[in-house]
Structure formats: structure tokens, C-alpha cells
Amino acid sequence: MVLQKSAMKELRRHLSFTQLRFHCCKKQGRTFHVVTAFNSSGEAVVQYFSGRADKQPDACVSFVRLTLNDNSKLASICKDWGLANGKYYVGKWGHGGDQNRVYLNSDNDMECDDVASQSVNLVGDFWKVFVRYIQNKLSDENMKRDCVVFQGFELIGHITKTLYADEISCGLSCLRDENCQSYNSKSDANDAKKECQLSNQTKNSSPENLRRNPRKRGWDFAHPAFSCKEILDSGHSKGKRGRDSAHPAFSCKEILDSGHSKGDGEYWIDPEKSGNPLKVYCDMLRSGGGWLLVSNVEFGSPSPKVSVETSYRGIGKSHMVLQKSAMKELRTHLSFTQLRFHCHKTQGRTFHVVTAFNSSGEAVVQYFSGQTDEQPDACGSFLRVTSDDNSELAGICKDWGRLASKEVRVGKWGHGEDQERLYWYPVFRNSKVSP
């Protein structure tokens, strides 16, 4: 089936879809696969094909190529698209004589080929159009921000946030972030989720920092290598990420998301992408997995086994705790968003909590990573890991904390006299004070 313009208009009235995806594949040609962008140009395409506007929309900057399988020439020559007012090569979506918009032209040719001699349709060839509804709509101001895609390039030096998402979600995250002006979506052909870097600059404002993306040469159409030997020599052979020093991951979470986890244990990461990886311990099984161990204190006789580290690279040691300066350094490179605290005593209970995804939880992360000196509120800032937290402590957060003024039971994280934050007193309760 195919929906006429009137049917698409009716559907959008009920569904309010915000994106279209166009997928055309011919056995004797290439695959054309694009999705409308989260910008004003992309919205114009949606309005045109849903019958809400008759003006043929501009093609360039209105879509994003799905690099996992789009290998078409067509997607890269958008300035040559379209027929409008009797003129070809006008850089527009659609065919001026086709008022049904999504429907094929009159002789049923599927014109998504790169090679004119391959216009014949074979069994198995298809042309599909999908719609998608995003519930959290963008503001009008954000809809005016255009995202231009440059295949095989990245903008370096101005990264404000790193996360892991598919290509479309990466663009959406940029549009929702008031500081984001562009983004790098670093595709790996085998991964559903990719490294997504948000930047506060664009290629126009910082052209000297636009460079070819050297990562993963030979993995996909956008990043070809010269030879198999070059792939091997560049370190882009498809080894299991994080399993050895030759194939470090960016973080424990990246290892988990890429499907290369082997469970709890030691892995290799390179948060600075410096080529100097370090071995760390990743917890892959608890609370969703992807956790990097930054403090591990074991009590014994006569004193705890612990090495207090002033640099984050000390996390490779088996029994250590990072000082405030080391945590601050780590967050500069890794941009972690959560902390998990796990305390177990053989003769007592187990305290196990994780910071919440809210402003109170973020305040805790900032405090323990040395980005603020204000002790954060305890209540409302964490969630109990109910699978094994059976502590009384997690239920009396109003009694936590000690300030520098020596006032206790103030409902705060930390101990005002412990400036190293994670060392000894991340959670403090003075049991000697009467309630």
C-alpha cells in the first residue's frame, strides 16, 4: 500500500508524527536510506509529505543519512534533486507533477538508483516510507537550529558532553541542549549505539578544528581504509573493545553498550583517547552495569588496605581511593553522570545506593568530583539498590552529615572536615548524638 496526500494529512492529525524515514533498496543498485533531521528543514519535509504545505522543501540539510546501510550516491548530491516549475536539479524534495507526494510516479519506476541503466525493477526491490512520533517536542527556537552532516569528519576541541546513542538520538540531544551547536556521531558499523559528542562550536565558527575522523577505518562506507594492512596498523581491527590494551574502550559503559562485556572484571579504557590506556575494574552486572570502580577500601588487620591516589590513573590499583583532585580530573575526561556507593560489613547490614537522575543527584556527583564545595542534600538525591540494600542508614538520610562548623545530623552528604570527599566519610552519621 501507499498513502495518498490526504491520507498522510489525516494520519498526522491523529499521530502528530515528527519524522519521516525513506528507505529504497534495489538489488542491482545501491541502498538509499535517510531520515528527516530535527531542524526546520526536516520539519518542512514532514509538512510537505503530509499535505500541510504545497511548497517543495529544500533537500540539503533536511535529512541525515543512516550510515549503517546507506551507501547511495543520491544522498550526497541533494543539490541535484527534484523537479519544480518545469526545471530539474533544483535541490528540492518531490516531483512537481506528483500531487500524491509519497506515491510512485506514473510508470511505477523506483527512482532511487545511482546508475541510470539499472532502472529495471526486480523481485525483492522495495521503496518504503516510515513515520515516527517523538513525544518530547522541541521548542520553536531549537527547531530553527539546522544540523548539517559532514560524513567522515569531526569537530575537535570544543566537546561539552559525551554520551552513547544512535545517530538520530544524538542529534535530538544536541537540539535539546541550549549550549550545543553541533555534534559528532562516531559510527561503528556493528553498533546500534555510537559515541555521541556534543560541541559548543560549529565548522563555521571553528573551521581549524574540523578534521577527518580517523576512527575505525575500514568499518563502514564513510571511513574506508587504503588496505587491510592499514586497518591492522591503525589499531582498527575488530577486536573486542576493552579486552586488551590494543583495543581500549572509552569507558566501562561503552564496553557494555557495544556488547563486548564478559561480566565483572578487568578491562582496558582510554578516557583521554591519548593512546595510553589503563587497566580498570568494571562492574557490569549490578544496577544496569557499566560502572567504573574508583574507590575500593577493604578493612583488615591492622589497617585498611588502601592507596590514596592523586591522579585518576591510579584506579588501576586493586585497593585504592581517588582524592578530590583525581575525581575532578576523571570527570573532565569521562563526564560521568552517576555515582554508586556500596558498603558491606560481615557482621552488619549492606548499604547500597546510586545517585538519582535529578538536580539533587547531580549535586552529589559535582561535590564528590570536586566541582563544588557545598555539601549536597542527602534526601531525594539517591535511590536504594533494593536487590541487596538492607541498611538502616539509607532510611534516615535526614540524620546524615557533619558540617565544617561541627554541626551534625544536618541531612547532608560528607564530612565537613574531610576534604578528600570519597576518603573515609562520604556518608557520615554521628551515632553519639541523641535524636
Side-chain angles (χ1 to χ4, degrees), residues 237-287:
S237 174
K238 293 184 180 179
K240 297 290 187 182
R241 273 187 285 181
R243 297 289 187 90
D244 55 50
S245 59
H247 303 95
F250 176 70
S251 66
C252 295
K253 188 67 166 59
E254 183 190 40
I255 297 169
L256 182 71
D257 290 343
S258 66
H260 294 165
S261 169
K262 55 181 173 55
D264 294 347
E266 292 183 331
Y267 294 87
W268 290 85
I269 67 170
D270 186 5
E272 298 180 57
K273 300 179 183 176
S274 62
N276 185 23
L278 67 155
K279 185 184 289 187
V280 299
Y281 185 90
C282 297
D283 185 331
M284 298 299 199
L285 302 178
R286 295 167 185 81
S287 301

Side-chain angles (χ1 to χ4, degrees), residues 299 343-350:
F299 287 83
C343 178
H344 175 73
K345 301 192 74 172
T346 304
Q347 295 184 351
R349 298 180 184 270
T350 294

Side-chain angles (χ1 to χ4, degrees), residues 379-427:
C379 297
S381 68
F382 65 89
L383 299 172
R384 302 176 75 158
V385 180
T386 54
S387 58
D388 64 346
D389 178 276
N390 60 355
S391 67
E392 178 186 352
L393 188 61
I396 54 171
C397 52
K398 61 183 177 57
D399 292 338
W400 292 11
R402 171 172 168 153
L403 303 180
S405 62
K406 298 187 178 180
E407 183 181 357
V408 296
R409 295 197 174 186
V410 288
K412 300 284 187 180
W413 285 83
H415 187 296
E417 297 177 8
D418 176 21
Q419 292 306 307
E420 296 307 333
R421 309 291 161 85
L422 287 181
Y423 192 51
W424 294 122
Y425 296 118
V427 178

